[in-house]
Amino acid sequence: DAGVIQSPRHEVTEMGQEVTLRCKPISGHDYLFWYRQTMMRGLELLIYFNNNVPIDDSGMPEDRFSAKMPNASFSTLKIQPSEPRDSAVYFCASSARVLGDMGSPLHFGNGTRLTVT
Amino acid sequence: SQKIEQNSEALNIQEGKTATLTCNYTNYSPAYLQWYRQDPGRGPVFLLLIRENEKEKRKERLKVTFDTTLKQSLFHITASQPADSATYLCALVGGSYIPTFGRGTSLIVHP
């Protein structure tokens, strides 16, 4: 298995531009998570999906952020318009809880480093 | 409010020694506690999970303890090697079953 795949690895954009981050979870995993990591705040959960349905988006900082999961193998996180304070590393992770083990670990992608100038 | 604390200062140890990292939490009743390793430029990688009714878990050179009275987990790496140098994150899994992460502690093992 190739693991969780994120693209792009790096994104540099100017303030006000739209940014779209992409994620392909591990096949068969029924949970998908978007986290943001900064030095100041560590890893913060933004939103998570179960079976392609958004369950909790309370971590999404503002209406400028939106996430979709149109099918089991693809998710996007969009920021429009972007601001310098959005600069961070954004991680996608997936998890398999089909056996009901709610302690199942997360499998992370290698992240997208976003820089907004 | 819920709080997870990991030592923000890097832990420097000599190769061959045992590294011990600490994860403390407040205002939390986790059902599970997980430990992850993160290398620079990479995503966290799962290492170990321990349940609230378990005191200790081992995997090769790794050992995790979980004290729900002290609200603390200790993560040990025995016979440490320079390749163990990384940031180690603890994550608490409570009623929502969604992991909440600490900010991690950097471990540097000197040859």
Side-chain angles (χ1 to χ4, degrees):
Chain A
D1 197 326
V4 175
I5 299 172
Q6 291 187 248
S7 64
R9 285 299 314 273
H10 302 273
E11 177 80 44
V12 180
T13 191
E14 291 184 349
M15 183 173 63
Q17 297 298 306
E18 177 179 297
V19 175
T20 299
L21 311 181
R22 296 173 175 80
C23 174
K24 177 179 168 55
I26 293 173
S27 176
H29 282 191
D30 54 342
Y31 280 79
L32 184 139
F33 306 81
W34 283 99
Y35 283 86
R36 177 171 70 175
Q37 188 174 42
T38 60
M39 289 292 291
M40 290 295 295
R41 300 174 70 90
L43 261 175
E44 301 175 281
L45 177 68
L46 300 177
I47 185 172
Y48 77 94
F49 296 81
N50 177 214
N51 291 322
N52 314 339
V53 176
I55 303 300
D56 185 353
D57 65 354
S58 60
M60 297 283 261
E62 298 172 30
D63 290 345
R64 299 183 296 106
F65 286 68
S66 63
K68 294 182 179 179
M69 191 165 186
N71 56 61
S73 59
F74 185 65
S75 178
T76 59
L77 178 67
K78 186 176 292 187
I79 308 172
Q80 165 63 18
S82 58
E83 296 182 3
R85 60 188 165 134
D86 302 331
S87 297
V89 181
Y90 291 81
F91 286 103
C92 174
S94 68
S95 179
R97 300 185 180 185
V98 292
L99 297 179
D101 181 0
M102 302 310 284
S104 299
L106 270 57
H107 299 260
F108 283 82
N110 283 326
T112 295
R113 180 174 294 278
L114 173 65
T115 303
V116 184
T117 60
Chain B
S1 61
Q2 297 172 342
K3 200 171 181 182
I4 303 170
E5 291 183 345
Q6 294 188 259
N7 197 336
S8 58
E9 288 187 16
L11 176 63
N12 286 271
I13 65 167
Q14 211 61 34
E15 182 175 9
K17 300 294 186 184
T18 296
T20 299
L21 305 174
T22 304
C23 177
N24 294 302
Y25 60 92
T26 55
N27 298 324
Y28 217 121
S29 296
Y32 307 85
L33 194 146
Q34 302 172 340
W35 282 89
Y36 291 77
R37 167 182 173 144
Q38 186 173 22
D39 291 286
R42 309 295 291 266
V45 175
F46 172 77
L47 296 174
L48 276 173
L49 173 149
I50 188 166
R51 293 176 170 78
E52 60 178 335
N53 60 352
E54 297 175 319
K55 296 291 186 188
E56 183 179 296
K57 203 77 167 285
R58 291 174 185 262
K59 180 182 177 182
E60 298 172 353
R61 294 185 295 112
L62 308 180
K63 184 179 85 171
V64 173
T65 62
F66 192 10
D67 189 325
T68 55
T69 301
L70 290 179
K71 295 187 182 298
Q72 180 181 78
S73 174
L74 299 178
F75 177 81
H76 306 272
I77 305 175
T78 58
S80 59
Q81 305 164 1
D84 295 325
S85 298
T87 296
Y88 291 85
L89 306 163
C90 71
L92 275 58
V93 184
S96 68
Y97 298 110
I98 304 303
T100 300
F101 287 83
R103 291 174 58 182
T105 298
S106 175
L107 171 67
I108 303 169
V109 181
H110 299 275

